[in-house]
Each structure stands twice: as structure tokens, then as C-alpha cells.
Amino acid sequence: MPSFKQPSVIGAVFQNSKILLVKRRDVPVWVLPGGGVDKEEGLEEALRREIWEESGFHVKVLRKVGEYFPINRLANYTHLFECTLISGEATLSQETREVEFFDIDNLPSLPPPYLDWIQDCLKQEKEIIQKYLTG
């Protein structure tokens, strides 16, 4: 595997037929929660921390869905996980201006590659998906 800078983690948090999205403060778009992995931090630990920091929710990681390789130096090597809600309440942060669960069939406009990542989760593949980022 090629060498990458610090990886990123993204969580698709499903609750019934809804998915958790956060609207960023820096660029006001809806995205899946996630972020960078700190040194000496495991992927799932980083994911649970990022989701809690961005949304106020505690989650259980159900499975690793995919690994996505960067197509340029601006992107990160990203690990996508499917999660389920354990507890918490929607809480805004320095990074998020809105936190909301959306019906999976009625999503707001999402920048690439977030819709692809949600669709990858819904495929329920047995193998971990490995591919290059699409955007």
C-alpha cells in the first residue's frame, strides 16, 4: 500500500431508515461526520471521538465499509464505517452549524463523495470496498 499522510475516518450513522448528517460551519454543506485520526489513536476510537465532537452522539461501530485512496494531495486516505446510535442528543460544535437525521430517501444535496459513501454502506458488501475517491 502506498504511504499516506494521517488517515481520515467517516461514519455513516444509521437510525431506522435515517442517516446522521452534519452541516459544516466553514463550508455550509451537509456531510457525514468524521475527521482526522490523531497520532497514537485507533481508527474506531478516532471515529467515535469525531462523531461525538461534531454531533453530540455516541455510536457503536458495526463494520468497516471501505477504504478510499486519495486522487490528489488535498485528499486523505479515508476509512468509512457503518455505525448505529447508542445515546446522546444533537449538539452543535465549533465545526457544525446543524445536526440532523435525514430519511435515506430524502437527502439534502451532498458534495462528492458523500452520496457514494452512503450508497456503499447500503450495498451491504461482505468484503471491505477499496477504491479511489471520486471527488
Side-chain angles (χ1 to χ4, degrees):
M1 177 189 315
S3 172
F4 299 109
K5 61 183 178 178
Q6 285 295 102
S8 293
V9 288
I10 297 292
V13 181
F14 292 95
Q15 183 68 12
N16 301 318
S17 62
K18 296 183 181 254
I19 188 163
L20 176 66
L21 298 176
V22 296
K23 186 177 269 189
R24 299 174 54 98
R25 282 192 187 274
D26 57 350
V27 181
V29 295
W30 289 102
V31 296
L32 295 168
V37 178
D38 294 338
K39 289 184 180 185
E40 307 301 321
E41 188 175 39
L43 295 175
E44 291 186 19
E45 176 186 7
L47 179 66
R48 288 189 301 269
R49 174 186 53 76
E50 284 287 344
I51 292 171
W52 181 80
E53 287 176 358
E54 293 182 6
S55 72
F57 291 110
H58 295 281
V59 300
K60 176 182 179 183
V61 176
L62 299 177
R63 69 185 178 103
K64 184 173 189 177
V65 175
E67 298 174 353
Y68 302 85
F69 308 107
I71 56 174
N72 60 45
R73 62 183 179 80
L74 299 176
N76 291 342
Y77 177 48
T78 303
H79 301 266
L80 174 64
F81 294 88
E82 180 181 348
C83 306
T84 190
L85 182 68
I86 294 177
S87 65
E89 60 183 54
T91 305
L92 302 182
S93 73
Q94 293 179 349
E95 298 176 51
T96 55
R97 63 172 61 190
E98 292 184 60
V99 176
E100 189 173 331
F101 277 91
F102 286 89
D103 187 88
I104 202 71
D105 295 323
N106 192 24
L107 297 173
S109 177
L110 300 171
Y114 293 96
L115 187 56
D116 289 344
W117 286 341
I118 292 170
Q119 290 171 344
D120 284 350
C121 288
L122 296 173
K123 289 177 188 172
Q124 295 293 315
E125 302 262 342
K126 294 198 186 297
E127 300 291 322
I128 294 173
I129 296 168
Q130 293 186 319
K131 62 185 180 183
Y132 283 91
L133 288 167
T134 56

